[in-house]
Amino acid sequence: MLNGLIIILLISTAYFLGFLLNRIARSEFVWFRNKTKQEFGRFRYIIATLAGISIGPNPSNTILLTIFAILLIYSSLNTTNQNPRIALKQASTQALIFIIAGLLSKGF
């Protein structure tokens, strides 16, 4: 039970690491966002929920690493053209949704 909670908390750090990665390499992310012209909108909350649910009761290490990598890349792309405070607030909200969905999928 405690291991599941620790896994969920560690994977939720991907949102904040993505935020930091975006701030470090900001010009590359702005270039990529201008090329792709992607807007995530409310889709970011759906991704957080689905990622939390996909952990499930007995996740394998490969699934955990894959989810972490996807959330890291996604969160770094998601906060490109925003005020840092707004971007951090959105990352915190997404991490909270991820944690709640992960706990529900574990059956806590």
Side-chain angles (χ1 to χ4, degrees):
M1 185 165 131
L2 185 59
N3 290 339
L5 180 62
I6 291 171
I7 288 171
I8 291 169
L9 290 175
L10 285 176
I11 291 178
S12 69
T13 61
Y15 284 106
F16 302 108
L17 292 175
F19 172 78
L20 292 175
L21 181 66
N22 186 294
R23 296 295 152 203
I24 292 170
R26 184 159 176 79
S27 62
E28 286 80 10
F29 285 107
V30 168
W31 175 83
F32 182 77
R33 181 126 184 187
N34 289 338
K35 285 289 194 183
T36 60
K37 300 196 187 323
Q38 291 183 346
E39 294 295 327
F40 292 105
R42 296 184 193 264
F43 190 59
R44 65 180 75 123
Y45 303 116
I46 294 171
I47 289 176
T49 305
L50 291 176
I53 291 172
S54 66
I55 290 177
N58 296 318
S60 68
N61 292 337
T62 307
I63 289 177
L64 292 176
L65 287 175
T66 304
I67 291 171
F68 183 81
I70 289 170
L71 290 179
L72 180 65
I73 293 168
Y74 168 73
S75 65
S76 62
L77 291 173
N78 191 24
T79 60
T80 301
N81 289 331
Q82 295 178 347
N83 181 346
R85 283 188 170 174
I86 294 171
L88 190 58
K89 181 182 175 188
Q90 287 180 351
S92 300
T93 304
Q94 293 170 43
L96 182 65
I97 291 171
F98 173 80
I99 291 169
I100 291 170
L103 290 175
L104 291 175
S105 72
K106 289 281 191 186
F108 287 108

